[in-house]
Amino acid sequence: MDSRAAGTGRQQTLRHAISCSGTGLHSGATVHMTLAPASTDSGIVFRRVDLGENAPPIPATIDNVIDDRLCTTIGFRGGPSVVTIEHLMAALRGTGIDNVEIAIDGPEVPVMDGSAAPFVFLLECAGLVAQLASRRAIEVLRPVGVAKDGAEASLTPGLNFSAGCEIDFASRAIGRQSLTVSLVNGTFKSDIARARTFGFAHEVDRLRAAGLARGGSLDNAVVVAGDRVLNDDGLRWTDEFVRHKILDSIGDLYLAGAPIIGRFHGRRSGHALNHLLVRTLLADRGAWRWTTESSVEIAAGATPAAAAAAPATL
Ligand SMILES: [Zn+2]
């Protein structure tokens, strides 16, 4: 199931509220999280309920990203924030949820098993419901790219959304991997959602010394030491690493505030560069337009005349 496969062309939210508990990857804090239905055009909004009723809600948009060095933190400087939102954001995009309120009683989204699959399960248990308003999407009209320190990320026009990533690590457990996935016909759930975050054993001590990765373990990350994977059960796919990079990219791009229609490609890219790409796209007003999914479907039809006539909504 994903936004296109859902096929309604309408915004979606949850049918019922649903909760889970878990540990934050970096903080190690145990948190309780409730996802609840939200009204049309409200988007993805976090609330830090442990900070009292006056704490301002935090919309999950690119303007509210305050740190993206290791994971994605949204919030307000000197105010409430939420850490490690990316895998939940990927699950919301992958299941086609436009509007949801996420109440959380701690600083960090639970890491669960290090993938998006537990969130997809949670969302499916809650159920999805189509809302009255049309879903708006961001249609890429011309190529946009960013590059930094040997890494690249780009968006080019396409008839639906696809994400392709390339990675290249010295460890033979990872090596060179590349994969492209179109977000259609349930591919997010079948091919991407279960891919776990990964890290290197030699980095764990350094991260812990910096007060990070306190909740990290072999239960919620793939850990690589030299050319070996330390997890007893091994990998879920031989290319689980690049699949997780695609998962991260899907979550990062959803911070645009709406689904993107276009082709993403990242080479050695990470959260910070993906966010820069979103900012660069949105700042280039000629590079995209608001559209409804139904008009994109018309544009994807057989005749050029139909494509030319496809209405854009502003
Ligand atoms: Zn990740």
Side-chain angles (χ1 to χ4, degrees):
M1 178 170 37
D2 60 50
S3 58
R4 304 281 295 167
T8 63
R10 290 196 279 158
Q11 295 181 27
Q12 295 190 116
T13 188
L14 297 179
R15 187 173 294 277
H16 305 288
I18 196 161
S19 300
C20 71
S21 295
T23 305
L25 175 66
H26 290 297
S27 61
T30 300
V31 286
H32 189 74
M33 185 170 79
T34 300
L35 298 102
S39 57
T40 54
D41 296 320
S42 60
I44 314 297
V45 178
F46 286 82
R47 280 183 190 274
R48 280 284 302 273
V49 291
D50 56 318
L51 300 181
E53 286 186 3
N54 293 329
I58 312 169
T61 58
I62 194 74
D63 289 341
N64 291 332
V65 173
I66 55 174
D67 193 351
D68 53 16
R69 286 169 294 179
L70 281 175
C71 55
T72 302
T73 303
I74 57 165
F76 309 108
R77 294 188 194 285
S81 63
V82 181
V83 180
T84 319
I85 63 164
E86 56 264 28
H87 303 159
L88 176 57
M89 290 299 290
L92 292 167
R93 172 69 175 97
T95 50
I97 293 177
D98 302 274
N99 306 301
V100 66
E101 185 175 296
I102 302 159
I104 186 165
D105 69 355
E108 186 171 10
V109 172
V111 65
M112 312 308 277
D113 71 347
S115 80
F119 296 130
V120 171
F121 175 76
L122 202 67
L123 298 168
E124 288 186 345
C125 286
L128 273 57
V129 60
Q131 299 176 285
L132 289 176
S134 295
R135 171 177 290 143
R136 296 201 312 165
I138 293 168
E139 183 184 0
V140 178
L141 298 176
R142 66 179 185 223
V144 173
V146 292
K148 195 173 184 185
D149 301 331
E152 298 169 6
S154 63
L155 279 162
T156 51
L159 296 177
N160 51 40
F161 175 74
S162 65
C165 286
E166 293 176 55
I167 54 172
D168 191 358
F169 285 85
S171 167
R172 278 188 291 175
I174 308 175
R176 189 181 290 243
Q177 300 185 353
S178 85
L179 184 70
T180 298
V181 172
S182 288
L183 223 58
V184 292
N185 301 326
T187 51
F188 180 78
K189 185 179 175 186
S190 62
D191 297 352
I192 299 300
R194 293 177 63 246
R196 292 162 295 175
T197 193
F198 59 96
F200 296 90
H202 67 264
E203 288 178 348
V204 172
D205 291 342
R206 186 173 58 78
L207 288 171
R208 292 228 167 110
L212 297 167
R214 286 181 187 169
S217 76
L218 292 171
D219 291 331
N220 54 37
V222 175
V223 181
V224 176
D227 292 331
R228 282 194 315 127
V229 169
L230 296 186
N231 305 63
D232 283 341
D233 294 338
L235 297 171
R236 293 176 175 176
W237 293 273
T238 52
D239 61 352
E240 184 172 356
F241 305 96
V242 75
R243 288 173 194 260
H244 188 79
K245 297 300 273 188
I246 291 172
L247 188 163
D248 277 343
S249 304
I250 291 168
D252 292 340
L253 294 182
Y254 203 22
L255 288 165
I260 289 176
I261 306 296
R263 294 196 296 253
F264 168 81
H265 188 81
R267 196 171 68 81
R268 303 178 64 189
S269 190
H271 298 304
L273 197 63
N274 294 342
H275 294 156
L276 180 62
L277 179 65
V278 171
R279 289 191 185 95
T280 304
L281 172 74
L282 295 180
D284 185 351
R285 205 51 195 84
W288 61 280
R289 65 171 179 173
W290 286 113
T291 189
T292 59
E293 280 205 298
S294 55
S295 69
V296 175
E297 281 157 12
I298 293 167
T303 64
T313 52
L314 292 171

mmCIF file with all atom_site columns, all heavy atoms in Angstrom, residues 298-299 301-311:
data_model
loop_
_atom_site.group_PDB
_atom_site.id
_atom_site.type_symbol
_atom_site.label_atom_id
_atom_site.label_alt_id
_atom_site.label_comp_id
_atom_site.label_asym_id
_atom_site.label_entity_id
_atom_site.label_seq_id
_atom_site.pdbx_PDB_ins_code
_atom_site.Cartn_x
_atom_site.Cartn_y
_atom_site.Cartn_z
_atom_site.occupancy
_atom_site.B_iso_or_equiv
_atom_site.pdbx_formal_charge
_atom_site.auth_seq_id
_atom_site.auth_comp_id
_atom_site.auth_asym_id
_atom_site.auth_atom_id
_atom_site.pdbx_PDB_model_num
ATOM 1  N N   . ILE A 1 298 ? -3.697 11.998 -14.980 1.00 0.00 ? 298 ILE A N   1
ATOM 2  C CA  . ILE A 1 298 ? -4.077 12.430 -16.330 1.00 0.00 ? 298 ILE A CA  1
ATOM 3  C C   . ILE A 1 298 ? -2.811 12.675 -17.147 1.00 0.00 ? 298 ILE A C   1
ATOM 4  O O   . ILE A 1 298 ? -2.681 12.233 -18.282 1.00 0.00 ? 298 ILE A O   1
ATOM 5  C CB  . ILE A 1 298 ? -4.944 13.709 -16.282 1.00 0.00 ? 298 ILE A CB  1
ATOM 6  C CG1 . ILE A 1 298 ? -6.294 13.395 -15.643 1.00 0.00 ? 298 ILE A CG1 1
ATOM 7  C CG2 . ILE A 1 298 ? -5.135 14.283 -17.669 1.00 0.00 ? 298 ILE A CG2 1
ATOM 8  C CD1 . ILE A 1 298 ? -7.093 14.631 -15.267 1.00 0.00 ? 298 ILE A CD1 1
ATOM 9  N N   . ALA A 1 299 ? -1.825 13.334 -16.516 1.00 0.00 ? 299 ALA A N   1
ATOM 10 C CA  . ALA A 1 299 ? -0.578 13.618 -17.222 1.00 0.00 ? 299 ALA A CA  1
ATOM 11 C C   . ALA A 1 299 ? 0.143  12.334 -17.599 1.00 0.00 ? 299 ALA A C   1
ATOM 12 O O   . ALA A 1 299 ? 0.898  12.304 -18.560 1.00 0.00 ? 299 ALA A O   1
ATOM 13 C CB  . ALA A 1 299 ? 0.325  14.488 -16.352 1.00 0.00 ? 299 ALA A CB  1
ATOM 14 N N   . GLY A 1 301 ? -1.322 9.757  -18.708 1.00 0.00 ? 301 GLY A N   1
ATOM 15 C CA  . GLY A 1 301 ? -2.135 9.062  -19.692 1.00 0.00 ? 301 GLY A CA  1
ATOM 16 C C   . GLY A 1 301 ? -1.496 9.006  -21.068 1.00 0.00 ? 301 GLY A C   1
ATOM 17 O O   . GLY A 1 301 ? -0.391 9.490  -21.286 1.00 0.00 ? 301 GLY A O   1
ATOM 18 N N   . ALA A 1 302 ? -2.219 8.443  -22.020 1.00 0.00 ? 302 ALA A N   1
ATOM 19 C CA  . ALA A 1 302 ? -1.615 8.080  -23.303 1.00 0.00 ? 302 ALA A CA  1
ATOM 20 C C   . ALA A 1 302 ? -1.398 9.274  -24.223 1.00 0.00 ? 302 ALA A C   1
ATOM 21 O O   . ALA A 1 302 ? -0.461 9.291  -25.007 1.00 0.00 ? 302 ALA A O   1
ATOM 22 C CB  . ALA A 1 302 ? -2.500 7.057  -23.991 1.00 0.00 ? 302 ALA A CB  1
ATOM 23 N N   . THR A 1 303 ? -2.261 10.261 -24.154 1.00 0.00 ? 303 THR A N   1
ATOM 24 C CA  . THR A 1 303 ? -2.197 11.295 -25.187 1.00 0.00 ? 303 THR A CA  1
ATOM 25 C C   . THR A 1 303 ? -1.511 12.566 -24.694 1.00 0.00 ? 303 THR A C   1
ATOM 26 O O   . THR A 1 303 ? -1.792 13.039 -23.593 1.00 0.00 ? 303 THR A O   1
ATOM 27 C CB  . THR A 1 303 ? -3.619 11.669 -25.655 1.00 0.00 ? 303 THR A CB  1
ATOM 28 O OG1 . THR A 1 303 ? -4.298 12.245 -24.542 1.00 0.00 ? 303 THR A OG1 1
ATOM 29 C CG2 . THR A 1 303 ? -4.369 10.460 -26.146 1.00 0.00 ? 303 THR A CG2 1
ATOM 30 N N   . PRO A 1 304 ? -0.617 13.118 -25.495 1.00 0.00 ? 304 PRO A N   1
ATOM 31 C CA  . PRO A 1 304 ? 0.019  14.378 -25.117 1.00 0.00 ? 304 PRO A CA  1
ATOM 32 C C   . PRO A 1 304 ? -1.006 15.477 -24.880 1.00 0.00 ? 304 PRO A C   1
ATOM 33 O O   . PRO A 1 304 ? -0.825 16.327 -24.011 1.00 0.00 ? 304 PRO A O   1
ATOM 34 C CB  . PRO A 1 304 ? 0.914  14.708 -26.318 1.00 0.00 ? 304 PRO A CB  1
ATOM 35 C CG  . PRO A 1 304 ? 1.107  13.411 -27.026 1.00 0.00 ? 304 PRO A CG  1
ATOM 36 C CD  . PRO A 1 304 ? -0.133 12.606 -26.766 1.00 0.00 ? 304 PRO A CD  1
ATOM 37 N N   . ALA A 1 305 ? -2.126 15.438 -25.620 1.00 0.00 ? 305 ALA A N   1
ATOM 38 C CA  . ALA A 1 305 ? -3.125 16.480 -25.449 1.00 0.00 ? 305 ALA A CA  1
ATOM 39 C C   . ALA A 1 305 ? -3.698 16.427 -24.045 1.00 0.00 ? 305 ALA A C   1
ATOM 40 O O   . ALA A 1 305 ? -3.925 17.452 -23.412 1.00 0.00 ? 305 ALA A O   1
ATOM 41 C CB  . ALA A 1 305 ? -4.251 16.287 -26.486 1.00 0.00 ? 305 ALA A CB  1
ATOM 42 N N   . ALA A 1 306 ? -3.919 15.206 -23.547 1.00 0.00 ? 306 ALA A N   1
ATOM 43 C CA  . ALA A 1 306 ? -4.452 15.071 -22.194 1.00 0.00 ? 306 ALA A CA  1
ATOM 44 C C   . ALA A 1 306 ? -3.465 15.609 -21.182 1.00 0.00 ? 306 ALA A C   1
ATOM 45 O O   . ALA A 1 306 ? -3.825 16.285 -20.229 1.00 0.00 ? 306 ALA A O   1
ATOM 46 C CB  . ALA A 1 306 ? -4.760 13.601 -21.894 1.00 0.00 ? 306 ALA A CB  1
ATOM 47 N N   . ALA A 1 307 ? -2.192 15.339 -21.420 1.00 0.00 ? 307 ALA A N   1
ATOM 48 C CA  . ALA A 1 307 ? -1.157 15.828 -20.495 1.00 0.00 ? 307 ALA A CA  1
ATOM 49 C C   . ALA A 1 307 ? -1.149 17.346 -20.496 1.00 0.00 ? 307 ALA A C   1
ATOM 50 O O   . ALA A 1 307 ? -1.057 17.990 -19.448 1.00 0.00 ? 307 ALA A O   1
ATOM 51 C CB  . ALA A 1 307 ? 0.200  15.279 -20.898 1.00 0.00 ? 307 ALA A CB  1
ATOM 52 N N   . ALA A 1 308 ? -1.258 17.925 -21.694 1.00 0.00 ? 308 ALA A N   1
ATOM 53 C CA  . ALA A 1 308 ? -1.219 19.383 -21.797 1.00 0.00 ? 308 ALA A CA  1
ATOM 54 C C   . ALA A 1 308 ? -2.411 20.015 -21.077 1.00 0.00 ? 308 ALA A C   1
ATOM 55 O O   . ALA A 1 308 ? -2.308 21.122 -20.567 1.00 0.00 ? 308 ALA A O   1
ATOM 56 C CB  . ALA A 1 308 ? -1.212 19.799 -23.270 1.00 0.00 ? 308 ALA A CB  1
ATOM 57 N N   . ALA A 1 309 ? -3.525 19.267 -21.065 1.00 0.00 ? 309 ALA A N   1
ATOM 58 C CA  . ALA A 1 309 ? -4.733 19.830 -20.479 1.00 0.00 ? 309 ALA A CA  1
ATOM 59 C C   . ALA A 1 309 ? -4.813 19.592 -18.973 1.00 0.00 ? 309 ALA A C   1
ATOM 60 O O   . ALA A 1 309 ? -5.728 20.063 -18.327 1.00 0.00 ? 309 ALA A O   1
ATOM 61 C CB  . ALA A 1 309 ? -5.963 19.214 -21.143 1.00 0.00 ? 309 ALA A CB  1
ATOM 62 N N   . ALA A 1 310 ? -3.845 18.835 -18.426 1.00 0.00 ? 310 ALA A N   1
ATOM 63 C CA  . ALA A 1 310 ? -3.928 18.498 -17.005 1.00 0.00 ? 310 ALA A CA  1
ATOM 64 C C   . ALA A 1 310 ? -3.907 19.755 -16.153 1.00 0.00 ? 310 ALA A C   1
ATOM 65 O O   . ALA A 1 310 ? -3.021 20.589 -16.301 1.00 0.00 ? 310 ALA A O   1
ATOM 66 C CB  . ALA A 1 310 ? -2.744 17.600 -16.621 1.00 0.00 ? 310 ALA A CB  1
ATOM 67 N N   . PRO A 1 311 ? -4.914 19.926 -15.318 1.00 0.00 ? 311 PRO A N   1
ATOM 68 C CA  . PRO A 1 311 ? -4.971 21.138 -14.499 1.00 0.00 ? 311 PRO A CA  1
ATOM 69 C C   . PRO A 1 311 ? -3.996 21.105 -13.341 1.00 0.00 ? 311 PRO A C   1
ATOM 70 O O   . PRO A 1 311 ? -3.761 20.054 -12.751 1.00 0.00 ? 311 PRO A O   1
ATOM 71 C CB  . PRO A 1 311 ? -6.416 21.114 -13.983 1.00 0.00 ? 311 PRO A CB  1
ATOM 72 C CG  . PRO A 1 311 ? -6.778 19.667 -13.932 1.00 0.00 ? 311 PRO A CG  1
ATOM 73 C CD  . PRO A 1 311 ? -6.033 19.005 -15.046 1.00 0.00 ? 311 PRO A CD  1
#
